């Protein structure tokens, strides 16, 4: 089922929000206003938004170290996200999570993890919870191609297949686990084909085509809600920036400047989707209005974060335990 016109414009808005948020966040990180590490998802917006548009707010989602875009794709508030990256009390995790550990229960994001493949078993547990509680919720786990060689990937897919859990495993295959290419680290380079080992459906899609990702995810979601088990989706995407902002990798470049430039010029998911929308009859004026709105929204988020307070050191241990446990 393709995106309807109103969904399409909203999808474009969310893709732009991710791009603008990451461009702005990168500048803030470089200027020292965001500490720690910064992993931008520029180039992967089509995969993120295409998948998230197929979900409901109360569907579960887990992410990765490269996960600023996932909450935005699912509709999270940009103010709380930017404040979290700056470590402020008004952040969605009260300034305790930071760049790689975002969570927002209001839109079903139970957590993101710096541990490679760390979100895969959590999403599997959410699927089990939904099945036990007899709801029609589904869980979607984002992870990279490097996580496919982790034990948690294989254990989770086996369990989900065996118990027919409502989980969608979505690999954002950007071709590189930091600097190691898929060809140098996978005996079976087709990630989607690995689904066969666990008796589940595997699908490979063009991750730069938001419509293709939406269609594949929608089919997987429908299957999961029917009780027919999980799906593994391999979205073939690309990150335009380095693995980590400011990361200097010694030795020979692991990818050429020509490769990156070609991807950015011809495989930019936002440029590709903009053309789709124009051909579908959306006016340049409407798209430009959305583009201006997104810039204003991100700037407003930055202002909000900048004037917000840092957590007080005396409250360092707040939120370590639930109120129920504390009582």
């Amino acid at each position: 089922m393709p995106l309807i016109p109103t969904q399409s414009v909203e999808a474009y808005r969310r893709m732009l929000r991710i791009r603008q948020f990451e461009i702005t966040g990168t500048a803030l990180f470089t200027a020292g206003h965001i500490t720690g590490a910064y992993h931008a998802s520029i180039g992967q917006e089509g995969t993120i938004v295409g998948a998230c548009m197929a979900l409901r707010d109360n569907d579960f989602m887990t992410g990765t170290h490269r996960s600023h875009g996932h909450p935005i794709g699912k509709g999270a508030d940009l103010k709380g996200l930017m404040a979290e990256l700056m470590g402020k009390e008004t952040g969605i995790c009260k300034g305790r999570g930071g760049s790689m550990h975002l969570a927002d229960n209001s839109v079903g994001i139970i957590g993101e993890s710096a541990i490679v493949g760390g979100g895969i078993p959590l999403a599997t547990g959410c699927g089990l919870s939904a099945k036990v509680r007899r709801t029609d919720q589904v869980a979607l786990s984002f992870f990279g191609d490097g996580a496919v060689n982790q034990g948690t990937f294989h254990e989770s897919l086996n369990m989900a297949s065996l118990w027919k859990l409502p989980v969608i495993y979505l690999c954002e295959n950007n071709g590189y686990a930091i600097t190691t290419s898929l060809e140098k680290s996978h005996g079976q380079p087709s990630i989607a084909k690995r689904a066969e080992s666990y008796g589940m459906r595997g699908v490979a899609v063009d991750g730069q085509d938001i419509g293709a990702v939406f269609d594949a995810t929608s089919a997987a979601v429908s299957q999961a809600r029917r009780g027919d088990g999980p799906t593994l989706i391999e979205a073939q995407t690309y990150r335009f920036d380095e693995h980590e902002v400011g990361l200097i990798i010694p030795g020979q470049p692991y990818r050429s400047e020509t490769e990156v430039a070609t991807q950015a010029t011809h495989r930019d998911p936002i440029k590709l989707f903009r053309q789709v929308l124009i051909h579908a009859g959306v006016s340049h004026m409407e798209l430009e209005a959305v583009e201006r709105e997104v810039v204003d929204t991100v700037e407003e988020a930055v202002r909000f974060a900048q004037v917000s307070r840092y957590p007080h050191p005396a409250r360092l241990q707040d939120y370590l335990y639930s109120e129920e446990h504390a009582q």
Side-chain angles (χ1 to χ4, degrees):
M1 181 178 67
L3 286 162
I4 61 175
T6 53
Q7 286 179 309
S8 294
V9 174
E10 176 60 24
Y12 184 64
R13 176 180 289 107
R14 295 187 188 190
M15 291 173 72
L16 286 173
R17 281 185 171 186
I18 295 172
R19 179 68 59 89
Q20 189 63 33
F21 187 95
E22 295 287 47
I23 290 172
T24 303
T26 296
L28 290 168
F29 175 80
T30 303
H33 298 297
I34 295 174
T35 59
Y38 198 98
H39 303 82
S41 54
I42 295 173
Q44 300 183 196
E45 298 92 345
T47 292
I48 295 169
V49 177
C52 288
M53 292 297 292
L55 300 174
R56 300 173 184 167
D57 282 351
N58 71 336
D59 287 330
F60 303 107
M61 191 178 81
T62 63
T64 70
H65 60 281
R66 193 181 308 285
S67 267
H68 310 144
H70 298 140
I72 299 172
K74 207 161 185 293
D77 176 60
L78 298 193
K79 292 181 180 178
L81 287 172
M82 187 62 77
E84 186 61 37
L85 263 60
M86 290 190 184
K88 300 300 184 72
E89 186 73 45
T90 53
I92 58 174
C93 295
K94 308 296 184 183
R96 274 76 169 177
S99 174
M100 293 184 281
H101 302 94
L102 304 172
D104 188 350
N105 289 331
S106 69
V107 288
I109 302 170
I110 68 162
E112 299 170 347
S113 177
I115 299 173
V116 176
I120 300 174
L122 300 182
T124 305
C126 287
L128 176 59
S129 169
K131 184 167 184 175
V132 169
R133 292 181 292 108
R134 299 181 184 277
T135 72
D136 68 346
Q137 292 167 289
V138 304
L140 186 147
S141 179
F142 286 104
F143 52 91
D145 46 284
V148 175
N149 287 335
Q150 294 288 332
T152 51
F153 171 84
H154 303 280
E155 295 162 3
S156 296
L157 267 66
N158 186 60
M159 177 183 288
S161 178
L162 184 64
W163 292 347
K164 291 191 178 300
L165 301 182
V167 187
I168 295 92
Y169 298 99
L170 199 151
C171 177
E172 294 177 273
N173 179 7
N174 62 28
Y176 299 94
I178 305 182
T179 62
T180 305
S181 67
L182 194 75
E183 293 76 15
K184 293 181 179 179
S185 59
H186 290 62
Q188 170 50 268
S190 171
I191 292 171
K193 194 172 183 179
R194 296 193 183 200
E196 296 177 12
S197 302
Y198 304 103
M200 71 171 66
R201 191 167 65 92
V203 182
V205 296
D206 180 358
Q208 308 306 76
D209 181 347
I210 184 175
V213 178
F214 176 78
D215 289 346
T217 309
S218 295
V221 167
S222 296
Q223 174 180 307
R225 294 201 202 282
R226 291 195 307 266
D228 292 336
T231 301
L232 171 62
I233 300 174
E234 175 191 356
Q236 296 158 354
T237 183
Y238 198 84
R239 57 172 164 81
F240 296 166
D241 290 343
E242 193 45 81
H243 165 73
E244 178 185 329
V245 174
L247 179 65
I248 299 175
I249 301 169
Q252 287 292 107
Y254 64 96
R255 59 181 187 175
S256 69
E257 293 182 3
T258 301
E259 176 186 313
V260 178
T262 299
Q263 289 284 339
T265 302
H266 302 291
R267 300 280 294 149
D268 185 327
I270 293 179
K271 292 178 182 177
L272 293 173
F273 192 46
R274 196 180 198 279
Q275 291 303 311
V276 169
L277 292 174
I278 291 172
H279 289 312
V282 181
S283 69
H284 287 278
M285 186 178 297
E286 183 175 358
L287 294 178
E288 288 167 1
V290 172
E291 291 155 7
R292 289 193 298 271
E293 172 205 314
V294 167
V295 172
D296 291 342
T297 300
V298 173
E299 289 179 351
E300 183 180 0
V302 172
R303 289 193 294 271
F304 172 82
Q306 288 175 331
V307 300
S308 296
R309 295 181 178 180
Y310 289 104
H312 194 281
R315 300 186 61 190
L316 177 66
Q317 297 188 36
D318 287 5
Y319 315 111
L320 288 178
Y321 306 100
S322 69
E323 292 182 3
E324 181 180 353
H325 180 86
Q327 294 173 354

